[in-house]
Amino acid sequence: MRRALRRRPAERAHWVVLAAVLLAVLVALLVQGCTHRLSTIGDAAPLATASAERVPSEVLHGGPVIDTRGADPRTASPAPGTVALTFDDGPDPEWTPRILDVLREHGATATFFAVGTAVIDHPDLARRIVAEGHELGVHTLTHVDLATAPAWRREVEIDAAQLAIIEATGRSASLLRPPYTSTNSAVDDAMWSAIRHAGDEGYLTVLATKDARDWETPDPDAIERAIVDGAASGQVVLLHDGGRNRAATVAALDRALDRLDDAGHRATTVSEAVGLEPVMTEAAPGDRLAASAAVWGIRISDAVVTVITWMLVITGALTVARAVLVVAAAARHRRAARRRREEPARPVVLDPVTVIVPAYNESAGIEAAVRSIAASEHEVEIIVVDDGSTDGTADMVEALALPRVRVIRQPNGGKPAALNTGLRAASHELIVMVDGDTVFEPGTVRALIQPFSDSRVGAVSGNTKIVNRGGVLGAWQHIEYVVGFNLDRRLFDVAECMPTVPGAIGAFRREVLRRLGGVGDDTLAEDTDLTMAVCRDGWRVVYQDDAVAWTEAPASIGALWRQRYRWCYGTMQAMWKHRAALVQGGAAGKLGRRGIVYLLLFQVLLPMLAPVVDVFAVYGLLFLDPLRVLAVWVGFLALQTIMEQVVYRQLMYLVVFQSAFTAVAGVRLRLQRMERYGTLRAPAEPVA
């Protein structure tokens, strides 16, 4: 009891891990989406036409530098003969350095109103701006329109941009220019509210006396005139160093500075032009620490999105690759089967067969299973190994009094032990293993053993189908069995790397099983473990699609979960156990480099990457082109629908995640028996 109590938290820990990972990913996506995908750098808003009734006259008709930190707003203008050059929307890795080069060549300085995300992406440019005597101002984090943003967004945008500047330069900025502003006369009530909010935060708002409109025109002459005209009376000129191609701005700036020099005018920063105290000061240690945390949080979110994007590409590539592989293999498998039918008749295998049925509490279906096998068109010996059943399974079989049917009772030791008991009691050299919830058609056994006419074949996989297809869950699993599993088996057959002969229907040479020491019990997927061992022993394992067996599928989500959890975990155990096949030659190498790699890619990694598609779809609907994202997502799901299943794909990848975590954590999973529903019937004739 104490051991079970210790194990339970470990078994449940994966859900805590999954929840934490998903929460972290969602936070990272929201941060990245808000900081990058909502940005509108380079887009110019039209001049305001709303009411300006609440904007003071001294602001509408005053200077471009507005101080609302006190009770009454004040404004300031540049001195005559002084041009304050201001650049918005940077820093940009192409245009900001070229503008800085021009300014340095002419000995001029300027004020750069930087977008926070651009500073985070290019901190070296922010440092260069400050190092060369220029000053930085805040232009919000994502270039949001402060006039229309709610109060909380205004605060976040301004504070985050300030933190970006502090992290890059170690200094804080006290100048702010709201995006989509120009001259004082364009301030409306909404923008005035934003300016007052900035003042409450301690910022001076800087507008312009002249908008060079370089965001609108690529004409260097027009931009040059905007810079130079009116310089005698003093100007604050609005230019741009980011957002789009700024070649015209660079060319116009070079020529305009020559003309200003010739006229004896000075090109300088806003603070020098209006006589302000230093507007950039050393940041306090606490502010630097907060800035580093905020900026690194944004950078980590960017990295997460980059990783997710690559994972999305990998997921799509794997999905398409699997579709191409299985469809091509199915076509080749069909052609090979047709050629075999057209070839001269192969020797027919007539050897008698021992059918071993391991049974533990199989009273719901054991009668139908045994009757169906006994009705086989081929000579069979049936050995039912009752593995400590408590529901009268053995009594039911004995009561049938069927010829060539033996019942062996043993204490409960697990399915591998039951199979090995049956193997020791078998009379024939061809062994068929079948689960106690499986019904054969009359021709199943004969069809199943025909590949043994090839002496290289050591085992044969049959074709399992679902008998209880009613309801949505049954239909999903039917599609999965018919399309997904059997397409995979055709691929494995063509590639000579079959990793699993299913426990529901499989045939083996007895000599092969003796060489391997019987059925192993050190994994929860004894069928996969045994099949891999057969391949590694040098034998071929093939797929016989006309050897049909009907089996019950889980009828509830809980039962399906338990079954697939055991399958997936057991498969991972078998893959790890036989990992040496990856570097071996011959049949073992085919299993390792083809079969095990395929399982790793498409049954472990792909399901674990599949949530990326869903998470990124939500991200895309919020921050990208919704129609395009929706089209890609629907296309991905359509491809999965064609391949196997779609609706319960989330259930399947959660099962894979749980299995992987259990394996990594080293938790030993107990054998979980599937529920039986009594839907099996022994067919009087082949099932249609």
Side-chain angles (χ1 to χ4, degrees), residues 2 20 22 32 61 64 81-82 142 240 280 336 342 360 368 439 448 453 501 523 536 543 555 563 659 667:
R2 287 193 298 271
L22 288 178
Q32 203 275 346
H61 305 289
T82 303
T142 66
H240 294 82
M280 295 199 73
E342 294 171 354
Y360 173 72
V439 165
L448 183 64
S453 63
V501 171
T523 74
R536 293 186 65 193
Y543 173 60
Q563 182 199 63
S659 302
V667 178

Side-chain angles (χ1 to χ4, degrees), residues 309-379:
T309 302
W310 278 107
M311 291 172 68
L312 185 66
V313 172
I314 293 171
T315 300
L318 287 177
T319 302
V320 173
R322 184 188 178 204
V324 172
L325 279 173
V326 297
V327 170
R332 183 173 173 182
H333 192 273
R334 186 171 58 252
R335 290 194 300 269
R338 186 169 58 248
R339 284 196 302 269
R340 285 195 298 269
R341 288 193 297 268
E342 294 171 354
E343 289 174 355
R346 284 177 138 189
V348 177
V349 178
L350 300 175
D351 300 7
V353 173
T354 296
V355 180
I356 303 174
V357 186
Y360 173 72
N361 289 348
E362 297 285 1
S363 61
I366 192 65
E367 180 177 346
V370 173
R371 284 189 180 276
S372 72
I373 301 168
S376 294
E377 298 170 350
H378 195 86
E379 180 182 348

Side-chain angles (χ1 to χ4, degrees), residues 124 163 208 316 326 338 387 400 406 490 494 559 642 658 673:
D124 53 326
L163 291 174
V326 297
R338 186 169 58 248
D387 191 41
L400 296 176
R406 282 193 288 162
R490 286 176 171 85
V494 170
I642 294 170
Q658 184 180 21
R673 180 181 173 276

Side-chain angles (χ1 to χ4, degrees), residues 602-647:
F602 298 110
Q603 292 192 19
V604 178
L605 294 182
L606 182 59
M608 294 187 72
L609 291 177
V612 175
V613 178
D614 298 335
V615 171
F616 207 83
V618 175
Y619 170 81
L621 291 174
L622 292 174
F623 298 113
L624 303 176
D625 182 349
L627 292 179
R628 182 179 300 177
V629 170
L630 190 61
V632 172
W633 188 65
V634 169
F636 178 81
L637 296 187
L639 183 58
Q640 284 209 325
T641 302
I642 294 170
M643 287 304 303
E644 49 184 279
Q645 73 285 336
V646 56
V647 180

Side-chain angles (χ1 to χ4, degrees), residues 27-214:
V27 170
L29 289 175
L30 287 174
V31 170
Q32 203 275 346
C34 291
T35 56
H36 290 278
R37 302 301 177 181
L38 298 182
S39 176
T40 54
I41 297 176
D43 297 330
L47 294 178
T49 57
S51 169
E53 293 180 358
R54 294 195 296 272
V55 183
S57 176
E58 56 265 39
V59 172
L60 287 173
H61 305 289
V65 180
I66 304 171
D67 184 358
T68 60
R69 294 174 295 181
D72 299 317
R74 297 177 297 167
T75 67
S77 299
T82 303
V83 176
L85 297 172
T86 64
F87 296 90
D88 290 5
D89 297 355
D92 180 273
E94 180 174 1
W95 304 111
T96 302
R98 294 175 64 175
I99 288 172
L100 290 172
D101 291 343
V102 172
L103 292 171
R104 182 172 56 190
E105 181 181 344
H106 290 273
T109 55
T111 301
F112 291 80
F113 289 98
V115 176
T117 53
V119 174
I120 293 171
D121 291 339
H122 310 290
D124 53 326
L125 291 179
R127 288 190 286 270
R128 179 182 170 185
I129 288 170
V130 174
E132 294 185 2
H134 311 287
E135 60 192 16
L136 283 168
V138 171
H139 200 46
T140 73
L141 179 68
T142 66
H143 202 264
V144 70
D145 184 358
L146 294 178
T148 60
W152 69 267
R153 178 79 186 273
R154 291 175 182 174
E155 189 164 347
V156 169
E157 288 281 339
I158 294 172
D159 290 350
Q162 178 73 271
L163 291 174
I165 292 173
I166 292 174
E167 200 277 336
T169 68
R171 302 184 186 185
S172 60
S174 58
L175 299 182
L176 176 140
R177 172 172 286 163
Y180 309 113
T181 55
S182 55
T183 62
N184 293 52
S185 61
V187 177
D188 60 11
D189 290 340
M191 183 55 70
W192 173 240
S193 174
I195 292 173
R196 289 187 61 86
H197 179 270
D200 293 341
E201 296 293 318
Y203 291 93
L204 298 175
T205 297
V206 179
L207 302 180
T209 59
K210 182 68 67 70
D211 183 355
R213 303 186 76 83
D214 58 343

Side-chain angles (χ1 to χ4, degrees), residues 249-568:
T249 301
V250 174
L253 178 65
D254 190 26
R255 294 179 350 213
L257 288 174
D258 283 334
R259 290 181 58 186
L260 291 175
D261 287 341
D262 293 342
H265 300 315
R266 186 165 61 110
T268 187
T269 62
V270 169
S271 61
E272 289 189 1
V274 299
L276 297 175
E277 295 294 326
V279 294
M280 295 199 73
T281 57
E282 290 292 325
D287 292 338
R288 289 191 180 189
L289 183 62
S292 294
V295 169
W296 276 106
I298 293 174
R299 287 175 178 160
I300 291 172
S301 71
D302 291 347
V304 168
V305 172
T306 299
V307 170
I308 289 178
T309 302
W310 278 107
M311 291 172 68
L312 185 66
V313 172
I314 293 171
T315 300
L318 287 177
T319 302
V320 173
R322 184 188 178 204
V324 172
L325 279 173
V326 297
V327 170
R332 183 173 173 182
H333 192 273
R334 186 171 58 252
R335 290 194 300 269
R338 186 169 58 248
R339 284 196 302 269
R340 285 195 298 269
R341 288 193 297 268
E342 294 171 354
E343 289 174 355
R346 284 177 138 189
V348 177
V349 178
L350 300 175
D351 300 7
V353 173
T354 296
V355 180
I356 303 174
V357 186
Y360 173 72
N361 289 348
E362 297 285 1
S363 61
I366 192 65
E367 180 177 346
V370 173
R371 284 189 180 276
S372 72
I373 301 168
S376 294
E377 298 170 350
H378 195 86
E379 180 182 348
V380 295
E381 169 194 44
I382 304 172
I383 299 177
V384 178
V385 182
D386 184 275
D387 191 41
S389 297
T390 59
D391 65 347
T393 296
D395 296 335
M396 293 181 66
V397 177
E398 290 175 340
L400 296 176
L402 293 173
R404 301 187 305 279
V405 176
R406 282 193 288 162
V407 176
I408 300 176
R409 301 171 185 257
Q410 68 175 32
N412 181 255
K415 185 177 178 181
L419 289 170
N420 288 328
T421 296
L423 182 60
R424 287 190 295 270
S427 304
H428 305 304
E429 290 304 310
L430 295 183
I431 305 296
V432 170
M433 297 180 182
V434 56
D435 288 340
D437 64 339
T438 303
V439 165
F440 278 12
E441 295 179 358
T444 296
V445 172
R446 174 167 294 180
L448 183 64
I449 65 172
Q450 293 311 306
F452 287 126
S453 63
D454 184 344
S455 61
R456 299 173 299 169
V457 174
V460 183
S461 167
N463 183 352
T464 310
K465 294 187 178 183
I466 298 297
V467 69
N468 53 333
R469 307 178 193 175
V472 176
L473 192 61
W476 289 342
Q477 293 176 85
H478 171 63
I479 295 172
E480 181 184 29
Y481 271 70
V482 172
V483 182
F485 292 167
N486 288 326
L487 278 178
D488 280 345
R489 290 196 180 104
R490 286 176 171 85
L491 171 62
F492 294 140
D493 194 354
V494 170
E496 300 182 12
C497 61
M498 186 77 67
T500 304
V501 171
I505 176 171
F508 299 84
R509 293 186 188 273
R510 190 177 184 184
E511 64 175 294
V512 175
L513 297 177
R514 280 197 296 260
R515 284 168 57 92
L516 299 175
V519 182
D521 62 355
D522 49 356
T523 74
L524 290 183
E526 73 288 329
D527 49 3
T528 300
D529 179 23
L530 177 60
T531 308
M532 290 185 175
V534 171
C535 290
R536 293 186 65 193
D537 198 44
W539 298 88
R540 276 209 64 189
V541 180
V542 300
Y543 173 60
Q544 190 76 352
D545 59 357
D546 57 352
V548 177
W550 297 85
T551 188
E552 285 188 325
S556 68
I557 294 294
L560 177 64
W561 184 285
R562 289 189 294 272
Q563 182 199 63
R564 299 310 171 84
Y565 185 19
R566 179 176 63 83
W567 284 5
C568 188

